[in-house]
Amino acid sequence: MEHNDDAAGPGAAVVRVSGELDIDRAPALRTELNDAIASAPDSADVAVDLSAMSFCDSSGLNALLGARLHAEEAGHLLRLVAPSAQMVRLLEMTGAIHVFTIDPAPPA
């Protein structure tokens, strides 16, 4: 996982996720997302670039859902960017697709 505060434009924060997001990697994602939210300027979006993620299980989804709430409480919008078909299916099956803002293309 990689956190870059300027990749999505001035003031925006981006966390890039690659590989599998499962029970072993979910705690690291939580930490990265919390850091991104804490360091994002007032009301800036926090983008989670999923374009290089190959798989997500329920623990990964749980980390994303928790971060969405944390971001909202801190005055930020957490956006999921370029999710795979598997991730979209997981979001649809759980009903979580309705609580996230989803962007089709990764940030520059």
Side-chain angles (χ1 to χ4, degrees):
M1 276 159 268
E2 173 191 338
H3 170 200
N4 183 343
D5 286 333
D6 296 315
V14 176
V15 174
R16 287 185 169 82
V17 181
S18 61
E20 296 186 358
L21 180 52
D22 55 19
I23 195 166
D24 294 328
R25 296 190 64 216
L29 177 62
R30 278 190 193 90
T31 300
E32 285 293 321
L33 291 171
N34 286 336
D35 290 349
I37 292 164
S39 67
D42 290 343
S43 58
D45 289 354
V46 176
V48 184
D49 182 353
L50 303 174
S51 61
M53 186 183 72
S54 59
F55 174 79
C56 183
D57 71 4
S58 61
S59 55
L61 177 58
N62 224 2
L64 292 169
L65 287 165
R68 187 195 68 80
L69 290 175
H70 180 209
E72 186 177 288
E73 291 167 357
H76 303 286
L77 174 66
L78 186 86
R79 298 183 350 242
L80 301 183
V81 181
S84 67
Q86 183 268 326
M87 183 68 195
V88 170
R89 180 77 176 127
L90 178 62
L91 292 168
E92 289 172 343
M93 287 174 46
T94 61
I97 194 129
H98 302 292
V99 301
F100 285 106
T101 297
I102 299 175
D103 298 333

